[in-house]
Amino acid sequence: MDTALATAPPTRPSTVHHPLPSGPQAVREARRMAGRLLAVHPAACPHDTTEDILVIVSELTANAVQHARPPYALTLSVEPGRAGIALSDASPALPRQPDGRGPLATRGRGLEIIRALGAELFVSRAPLGKQVIAVVTWAEH
């Protein structure tokens, strides 16, 4: 799969769909796969945005591991000016809305962090669960 990513023209979206392990190691694996895709096309995404995308991947995956059920899968699509990050899980339960936790809370702020990084969030129900999707955009140079 890496060869296909490396030869894809930089103007077309580069997409990877990767099943994740069912335990806490899913976060590390999701970040690793996202980092590999982003490294293949570094000109498509500014460095600061790359770092934000990796945080978003980590937060989405950690939320799934904490609140949903496996199987989990990461789908990441990157093209100049935009990235879509989707985390699939087998739980039909939708993410909870923020409950007004204070700024010093140590849990329950993942989706707020994702929004603070400028991502739009969507949830798509699936026959066997859902996808939580974050879309990040940036100005092309």
Side-chain angles (χ1 to χ4, degrees), residues 83-135:
I85 305 113
L87 205 294
S88 303
D89 63 60
S91 174
L94 300 179
R96 293 186 200 161
Q97 295 299 315
D99 61 4
R101 294 173 193 246
L104 300 178
T106 58
R107 299 181 67 159
R109 296 185 2 185
L111 296 181
E112 291 177 37
I113 290 169
I114 292 169
R115 286 187 187 101
L117 292 172
E120 294 182 75
L121 280 170
F122 307 92
V123 178
S124 175
R125 289 186 186 265
L128 298 174
K130 67 179 171 304
Q131 278 192 326
V132 180
I133 304 158
V135 177

Side-chain angles (χ1 to χ4, degrees), residues 5-94:
L5 291 175
T7 60
T11 57
R12 297 187 64 204
S14 295
T15 302
V16 64
H17 177 79
H18 188 71
L20 298 170
S22 62
Q25 66 273 27
V27 177
R28 182 176 50 242
E29 179 68 13
R31 242 183 114 87
R32 185 184 69 76
M33 280 309 302
R36 288 176 71 189
L37 175 64
L38 294 167
V40 169
H41 297 293
C45 183
H47 178 73
D48 290 347
T49 305
T50 295
E51 295 299 317
D52 291 348
I53 290 170
L54 292 174
V55 170
I56 291 167
V57 165
S58 296
E59 290 295 332
L60 288 176
T61 308
N63 283 350
V65 170
Q66 179 78 27
H67 302 290
R69 339 183 264 263
Y72 311 116
L74 170 69
T75 303
L76 173 60
S77 182
V78 181
E79 61 186 280
R82 181 173 53 190
I85 305 113
L87 205 294
S88 303
D89 63 60
S91 174
L94 300 179

